[in-house]
Amino acid sequence: MSDTGSAADATPAFEERDAHGIRVRKALASDVPHIQRLIHPFVQRRILLGKDNVTLYGSIQQFRIAEGPDGTPIGCGALAVFWEDIAEVRTLALDPDWIHKRVGHRMLEALEHDARELGVARIFCLTFEVDFFAAHGYLEIGESVVSPDVYAELVRSSDEGVAEFLDLARVKPNTLGNTRMLKVL
């Protein structure tokens, strides 16, 4: 390999600092307290499901963190793979001071990049932010986006996010008012 590297070695744009000094990076275990801080207001308003620290530590490799100019986490989001061809964007939250500065866009770009690297063809989200996701190519969908045999496998999962994806009765109170959306990569 040459010293100049290849296109595959290029750093994705979202990992570079932008005009506001923001960059998106993979999460570290030490980011869990920041993730809790970022999601707390949304959990209080029943927009996001709360997560125990043990759950966040166990899934930290799914997360991306947006850092402000001083390195402080100002946003978070995760990509949870459900099956060979579908994953969910989840726990996408921003510090209110950083909304409308393209932090959410960069977070979503990073999560979609991760999905492509994993070979996932479709990304699902359950959201109140319909306009944001629609602006990024997500379309509202009905309830069934997997085949019956995949559904039968997924229903065995203990993951509450999978239960929401499947629209199971036990999680209905958590999903009231949310819109189911999907993007094909």
Side-chain angles (χ1 to χ4, degrees):
M1 175 185 240
S2 72
D3 291 336
T4 59
S6 68
D9 296 331
T11 301
F14 54 81
E15 290 183 356
E16 299 288 337
R17 294 214 180 263
D18 69 5
H20 298 287
I22 299 162
R23 78 175 184 116
V24 177
R25 61 168 171 78
K26 291 186 182 280
L28 305 170
S30 59
D31 289 319
V32 167
H34 296 290
I35 294 170
Q36 288 288 20
R37 173 184 54 81
L38 290 164
I39 69 173
H40 180 74
F42 301 101
V43 171
Q44 293 297 106
R45 296 190 339 243
R46 298 184 60 112
I47 293 171
L48 290 175
L49 286 177
K51 296 186 181 348
D52 293 326
N53 282 342
V54 69
T55 301
L56 291 173
Y57 284 115
S59 62
I60 198 67
Q61 70 279 4
Q62 298 175 350
F63 277 84
R64 289 282 187 157
I65 294 292
E67 287 183 340
D70 64 357
T72 301
I74 59 171
C76 64
L79 181 77
V81 177
F82 287 169
W83 206 250
E84 69 179 316
D85 68 336
I86 193 161
E88 178 190 22
V89 169
R90 59 169 62 165
T91 321
L92 187 57
L94 305 178
D95 181 303
D97 293 338
W98 288 92
I99 294 174
H100 301 299
K101 294 188 173 121
R102 300 195 47 84
V103 177
H105 167 80
R106 292 185 66 165
M107 289 294 307
L108 192 56
E109 180 184 11
L111 296 171
E112 290 176 0
H113 169 83
D114 293 346
R116 285 182 186 94
E117 281 196 334
L118 292 168
V120 173
R122 301 178 298 160
I123 302 179
F124 165 81
C125 68
L126 186 62
T127 186
F128 289 102
E129 299 296 332
V130 174
D131 292 342
F132 171 78
F133 282 96
H136 291 89
Y138 290 73
L139 302 173
E140 290 186 37
I141 59 168
E143 294 180 12
S144 179
V145 294
V146 294
S147 65
D149 56 325
V150 171
Y151 181 96
E153 291 283 335
L154 289 175
V155 79
R156 297 180 194 164
S157 174
S158 61
D159 184 316
E160 288 297 299
V162 172
E164 288 179 330
F165 169 71
L166 297 176
D167 205 25
L168 300 180
R170 75 175 197 269
V171 295
K172 288 273 191 209
N174 298 334
T175 62
L176 293 177
N178 284 341
T179 300
R180 300 165 67 75
M181 301 184 81
L182 187 77
K183 180 175 182 174
V184 177
L185 298 177

